[in-house]
Amino acid sequence: VGVGQKVLVPGGDGLEVDRVIAFLHRDPEARALMVHAEHQNGTLVATPNHLVFVRTPMGLVDKPAGQLRVGDGLLLVDGGVSAVTAANRRAGVGFFAPVTSSGKLIVNGAVVSSYATVPGARWVRHDLAHAAVAPLRWGYASVVDGVAEALRKVLCVASPQAWLCSAAIHPFAAVLHGVTLGRSQ
């Protein structure tokens, strides 16, 4: 999937068509430990920090995929749940975090967030992450992305910072990541 492409996302009364407006993280070559959450209806593969939606006795909650446990009920695209039967970590390749207007995606039939927690920081809820990314979602256009890319290049020449200068991380996400971890100029 790429920027500008239409994807199905969960909506109020079923499925809706949404557009991928950006990638907060996109690195097809990155190697990482991935969570393989086997559930009654399939397998969800995600980074341990990626937020997923789970139905609990107290309602719908989001949690990092790395915290999934046997018995957790993954939210499915049809509104049902599928119990996690095993959650293991295995080496994987590729990081992808497409952002949609709704902030939600469907991965192998499960509803997941567009967002992930920041490694080394406290768990960030989906609704807070969605609010933090609102300026990117509201104003996103190819011009904005071009300005962001130009700004990243200027900042990286002036003061190279690994957390900001990675081509795999959107500049907006890199700045939020730095702020979350207390990194500032």
Side-chain angles (χ1 to χ4, degrees):
V1 71
V3 172
Q5 288 187 311
K6 293 179 181 176
V7 294
L8 290 175
V9 298
D13 294 327
L15 296 176
E16 296 177 355
V17 175
D18 204 345
R19 188 172 64 90
V20 174
I21 59 173
F23 278 84
L24 293 178
H25 198 156
R26 183 184 177 120
D27 190 347
E29 305 299 321
R31 297 188 180 279
L33 206 53
M34 305 294 270
V35 173
H36 289 249
E38 297 174 33
H39 56 95
Q40 294 169 315
N41 291 31
T43 302
L44 172 66
V45 178
T47 61
N49 295 329
H50 204 99
L51 295 175
V52 298
F53 297 100
V54 177
R55 176 113 23 227
T56 71
M58 296 185 301
L60 187 65
V61 298
D62 54 78
K63 67 193 293 186
Q67 293 181 11
L68 284 172
R69 301 290 177 255
V70 172
D72 282 348
L74 283 175
L75 181 65
L76 298 179
V77 68
D78 65 3
V81 296
S82 183
V84 173
T85 57
N88 303 299
R89 293 181 187 218
R90 296 184 220 148
V93 178
F95 276 54
F96 303 92
V99 177
T100 60
S101 296
S102 70
K104 295 179 182 173
L105 304 163
I106 300 168
V107 177
N108 294 340
V111 178
V112 303
S113 174
S114 288
Y115 315 115
T117 60
V118 177
R122 285 181 39 104
W123 168 12
V124 175
R125 295 186 341 231
H126 167 80
D127 58 344
L128 296 177
H130 195 58
V133 177
L136 177 68
R137 290 183 291 107
W138 293 336
Y140 208 84
S142 60
V143 172
V144 172
D145 194 42
V147 170
E149 183 60 28
L151 179 60
R152 174 171 44 193
K153 288 178 181 176
V154 168
L155 291 173
C156 290
V157 168
S159 177
Q161 304 260 345
W163 61 271
L164 177 62
C165 299
S166 168
I169 300 175
H170 192 284
F172 191 85
V175 169
L176 286 178
H177 183 256
V179 169
T180 303
L181 293 179
R183 296 176 180 152
S184 59
Q185 295 284 53

